[in-house]
Amino acid sequence: MSNADVITLPKLLSKLPMVFANLPGIVKGSKYGKLSDTTRPLGLGLAIQTATEMNPNGVALMYQDTQLTYRQFNAWANRIADYLSSIGLKKGDTIAVDIENRPELLATVTGAAKIGVCSALINTSQRGKVLVHSFNLVKPKAAVIGEELVEAINEVRDQLDLASDRFYSFADRDTLEDVGQVADGYKNLAEVIRDCSSENPEQASKIFLNDPLFYIYTSGTTGLPKAVVFNNGRWEKAYGAFGFAAVRLTKDDRMYSTLPFYHATGMVISWASCIAQGAGLVLARKFSASRFWEDVRKYECTAFAYVGELCRYLHEQPAKPNDKDNKVHVIVGNGLRPSIWKEFKARFGIERVVELYASSEGNVAFTNIFNFDNTVGFSPVSYAIVKYDKEKEEPVRGKDGFMIKVGKGEPGLLIGEITDKTPFDGYTDKAKTEKSILRNVFAKGDAYFDTGDMMRDIGFKHAQFVDRLGDTFRWKGENVSTTEVEQILDGANGVVETVVYGVEIPNTNGRAGMAEIRLDTEDFENFDYKGLCAYLQRELPPYAIPVFLRIANHPMETTGTFKHQKNKLKEEKYDLNAHSDPVYVLLPGESCYQRLTPEIQQGIDGGKYRF
């Protein structure tokens, strides 16, 4: 870490003019962060109604050729809410929602939120038994499926725990203009809501701090995805923190978002930033590096949401004379690499980067309110960064039995204190919830949430993200569970034993998946790699399929407690000079693994292949 990364008092003082200019919003946002009144009505549904009153004819949502005002969007969500109520759904119930980025997704979630129904935001890339697990885990009372995902649902529908008459679908079109046709076995939600009430439901004013809003699925350390409860109070805090204090849009701003809305960065951060000020959200179905800036100009966007991988892809595009020909003045997201941070801002003429750190399940968050470079920003809540022993995979405790905070500039494990104002809502599985809690940290009886992330204290309650610990790694903007991938690999024909881990590829964000596998044959060259690829493509989302396979013709190394020795594997990664095991690689655009050669390795390390 360079001295330039440390936040000093002169640096902090240099930001005072900006702070004073935006003080009302910052103060307002900070008040939202301290919400603890369990009797105050709040949440997504009420916020949409407030935005509608504030800016009824302003643009709420743009998607392809569709443009909706707040009045139109609110009325649509109300009809969905009225219909869901009519079939008996009530506060505390859950619906499964599996729709790609399009207006129908947001309208469904808002309609459900208005009557206190929790939306389980299914990851749209899930297939097979992972999809079955995610669906059944939350015990939905109904399901709303986009036409584009009906095939994936139908493949496993006989394994889903839901009555056949409770499956609804939206045609893959502008269903406000044309309800279209849906697949057999599904009710057309666009059609059945046509005669429902467009008025704000009474239930919307009876949603409170602890009422569930949606489930977001996160890959943890125990295999299959965990459903994290995201309640209305937590949404309200993000609405205040980003909408008023950090991003600070106006009703004339438009934010472009290509992020998947089954993740909190899209569904919560980018959208709430718009709703708070009655600004417009411009939604894209998929990310396209070549089309990104064309869309930004076409829709006259003044902001966009990102993850680090997105920024890297944009940065890798050939420079153009009109790179600065855009109206974007602020971007919000996480994972912008320090190596491109300043250059990225300068190239595209971006004034502010609202980098953030948060997790779907966590109780501690950081936001770059003051527009410093290379930091996830400031956190107002009680947290600590403590010394961590990577070999033992646990925090270091002193002679007194308590944990030890790191010094300024040192990396350590980030933990968030669990209090009434910063609760840890946990998972659907109580055992998994308890496993994430550290007790007797600095005093007997205290409790902290274990984020599993390494951070560096850079002063004045600011931090830098360092690395993710444990049995997950991040690739393509997604958390990958090593245990889940190991379980799938273990089920492949001819595979005897596996260990999965993430490895760094130069000039990429996150870590690519790599698996050391032991086969039931020594003739690894004639192993059925095509069959393995086909199997993995059926059972795993694309981002979770290992990029590298290391073929072990020997017993795998384990610790004294029979855990696989991953640290050495991570260090050796796919480097043919570091070990003698054969390595196979799934190159971008290829459908199957091929033997890694020194020439291909040199190409990977030199950036020839775009992962």
Side-chain angles (χ1 to χ4, degrees):
M1 183 186 69
S2 68
N3 291 332
D5 292 328
V6 176
I7 306 298
T8 61
L9 184 58
K11 281 186 181 180
L12 198 62
L13 293 175
S14 72
K15 301 293 183 180
L16 286 182
M18 179 274 291
V19 172
F20 286 133
N22 296 284
L23 195 58
I26 293 173
V27 171
K28 186 175 182 179
S30 67
K31 287 181 179 178
Y32 276 89
K34 298 173 183 176
L35 287 174
S36 59
D37 184 353
T38 57
T39 64
R40 171 186 164 180
L42 46 69
L44 171 61
L46 209 56
I48 288 289
Q49 292 174 193
T50 300
T52 302
E53 293 168 5
M54 177 173 58
N55 193 19
N57 299 315
V59 173
L61 185 59
M62 299 178 79
Y63 170 77
Q64 296 179 359
D65 296 327
T66 299
Q67 179 171 310
L68 297 172
T69 65
Y70 271 97
R71 180 183 282 121
Q72 290 171 321
F73 179 80
N74 186 55
W76 185 13
N78 287 341
R79 290 193 295 274
I80 293 174
D82 189 44
Y83 180 78
L84 294 179
S85 290
S86 75
I87 62 170
L89 293 183
K90 59 187 184 302
K91 183 175 177 178
D93 288 338
T94 296
I95 60 171
V97 182
D98 199 7
I99 308 173
E100 290 185 348
N101 274 20
R102 53 192 185 102
E104 286 74 9
L105 170 62
L106 303 190
T108 299
V109 171
T110 305
K114 281 173 176 269
I115 61 171
V117 169
C118 183
S119 295
L121 304 175
I122 303 290
N123 183 321
T124 57
S125 66
Q126 288 184 352
R127 300 291 186 272
K129 65 180 176 183
V130 178
L131 175 57
V132 172
H133 167 83
S134 295
F135 190 100
N136 291 341
L137 182 64
V138 297
K139 300 178 173 58
K141 297 289 182 66
V144 183
I145 313 299
E147 179 188 357
E148 65 277 13
L149 292 162
V150 162
E151 183 179 348
I153 291 291
N154 283 348
E155 287 175 356
V156 296
R157 186 161 166 176
D158 61 340
Q159 301 173 57
L160 303 181
D161 297 334
L162 183 64
S164 60
D165 63 347
R166 285 302 182 100
F167 283 84
Y168 295 85
S169 185
F170 278 114
D172 194 357
R173 63 181 68 222
D174 181 348
T175 58
L176 282 176
E177 290 291 324
D178 177 7
V179 299
Q181 299 292 317
V182 300
D184 290 343
Y186 294 81
K187 294 179 182 177
N188 190 332
L189 190 54
E191 187 172 13
V192 298
I193 67 170
R194 281 191 296 188
D195 297 326
C196 290
S197 173
S198 297
E199 298 300 312
N200 292 332
E202 182 184 350
Q203 298 100 306
S205 60
K206 297 178 181 177
I207 308 299
F208 305 108
L209 194 81
N210 295 323
D211 290 331
L213 174 57
F214 34 69
Y215 285 115
I216 291 179
Y217 293 87
T218 178
S219 294
T221 60
T222 53
L224 293 167
K226 291 183 285 189
V228 177
V229 180
F230 205 108
N231 62 32
N232 280 272
R234 188 148 177 230
W235 186 91
E236 192 86 2
K237 291 177 181 181
Y239 165 81
F242 293 96
F244 299 110
V247 183
R248 306 190 294 269
L249 302 178
T250 71
K251 64 182 179 62
D252 298 316
D253 280 308
R254 293 177 183 175
M255 177 177 286
Y256 184 58
S257 185
T258 67
L259 305 179
F261 269 55
Y262 54 75
H263 271 181
T265 309
M267 180 62 79
V268 181
I269 306 302
S270 60
W271 194 21
S273 298
C274 298
I275 297 169
Q277 306 289 359
L281 174 70
V282 179
L283 189 65
R285 186 79 160 255
K286 302 282 187 184
F287 169 71
S288 167
S290 60
R291 198 182 64 239
F292 189 93
W293 290 109
E294 291 177 16
D295 278 358
V296 165
R297 297 181 187 104
K298 175 183 175 182
Y299 296 108
E300 299 184 314
C301 297
T302 56
F304 69 78
Y306 71 87
V307 291
E309 199 77 0
L310 183 153
C311 293
R312 181 174 70 85
Y313 288 149
L314 293 178
H315 193 64
E316 287 179 350
Q317 291 290 297
K320 295 180 180 179
N322 65 341
D323 276 342
K324 285 188 178 179
D325 180 19
N326 65 77
K327 296 182 178 181
V328 173
H329 59 85
V330 60
I331 62 176
V332 58
N334 64 284
L336 180 57
R337 293 173 68 92
S339 60
I340 68 168
W341 187 302
K342 294 179 182 178
E343 192 178 341
F344 187 83
K345 284 174 67 178
R347 174 178 170 181
F348 297 109
I350 295 164
E351 297 169 19
R352 288 195 298 125
V353 175
V354 183
E355 175 82 0
L356 64 98
Y357 166 84
S359 63
S360 300
E361 66 271 41
N363 67 341
V364 57
F366 291 77
T367 311
N368 191 16
I369 293 176
F370 302 117
N371 197 28
F372 286 115
D373 290 328
N374 301 331
T375 174
V376 296
F378 166 87
S379 179
V381 304
S382 178
Y383 73 89
I385 301 175
V386 298
K387 292 187 177 182
Y388 186 82
D389 188 325
K390 287 188 176 181
E391 292 299 321
K392 294 182 179 178
E393 297 183 345
E394 62 184 30
V396 175
R397 290 185 183 261
K399 292 180 180 178
D400 58 4
F402 299 127
M403 294 184 192
I404 305 166
K405 294 181 181 180
V406 300
K408 186 183 292 186
E410 290 182 48
L413 174 68
L414 174 69
I415 57 177
E417 186 175 14
I418 300 172
T419 68
D420 290 341
K421 292 183 178 178
T422 54
F424 170 47
D425 297 316
Y427 309 104
T428 49
D429 185 326
K430 289 183 180 179
K432 292 176 183 176
T433 298
E434 185 58 33
K435 193 175 179 181
S436 299
I437 298 174
L438 298 170
R439 301 192 183 277
N440 303 319
V441 174
F442 299 117
K444 293 217 168 173
D446 66 5
Y448 281 72
F449 169 68
D450 180 354
T451 68
D453 290 324
M454 296 288 284
M455 301 284 264
R456 180 179 285 112
D457 179 1
I458 59 173
F460 293 98
K461 296 208 79 174
H462 281 68
Q464 283 180 336
F465 180 81
V466 176
D467 202 358
R468 187 174 300 275
L469 291 170
D471 290 328
T472 63
F473 58 88
R474 199 160 180 83
W475 182 241
K476 302 297 183 186
E478 302 275 357
N479 285 341
V480 180
S481 164
T482 59
T483 310
E484 177 189 331
V485 180
E486 285 167 356
Q487 289 173 348
I488 298 297
L489 271 171
D490 285 344
N493 289 332
V495 175
V496 176
E497 186 181 9
T498 63
V499 54
V500 174
Y501 46 100
V503 298
E504 292 181 324
I505 299 176
N507 301 311
T508 63
N509 276 343
R511 295 174 184 269
M514 185 164 183
E516 184 181 37
I517 64 174
R518 189 158 56 88
L519 305 176
D520 64 358
T521 175
E522 294 182 2
D523 187 12
F524 64 85
E525 291 183 339
N526 292 314
F527 180 75
D528 184 12
Y529 292 103
K530 285 188 177 180
L532 177 63
C533 279
Y535 168 78
L536 293 176
Q537 287 161 0
R538 284 196 309 272
E539 296 294 333
L540 288 171
Y543 62 81
I545 296 174
V547 174
F548 300 98
L549 300 178
R550 176 173 171 172
I551 312 301
N553 55 4
H554 50 76
M556 296 183 179
E557 292 185 40
T558 58
T559 66
T561 54
F562 305 102
K563 292 181 180 178
H564 283 113
Q565 285 275 23
K566 292 189 179 183
N567 286 336
K568 184 179 179 183
L569 293 173
K570 289 176 185 177
E571 290 172 5
E572 294 177 345
K573 55 179 193 176
Y574 55 87
D575 185 359
L576 297 176
N577 297 313
H579 58 84
S580 58
D581 290 338
V583 175
Y584 283 72
V585 60
L586 185 60
L587 291 172
E590 297 292 336
S591 60
C592 191
Y593 292 100
Q594 59 183 283
R595 182 78 180 265
L596 181 69
T597 64
E599 293 76 18
I600 294 176
Q601 180 181 324
Q602 188 176 3
I604 292 170
D605 292 338
K608 178 181 176 182
Y609 303 98
R610 187 170 175 270
F611 287 90

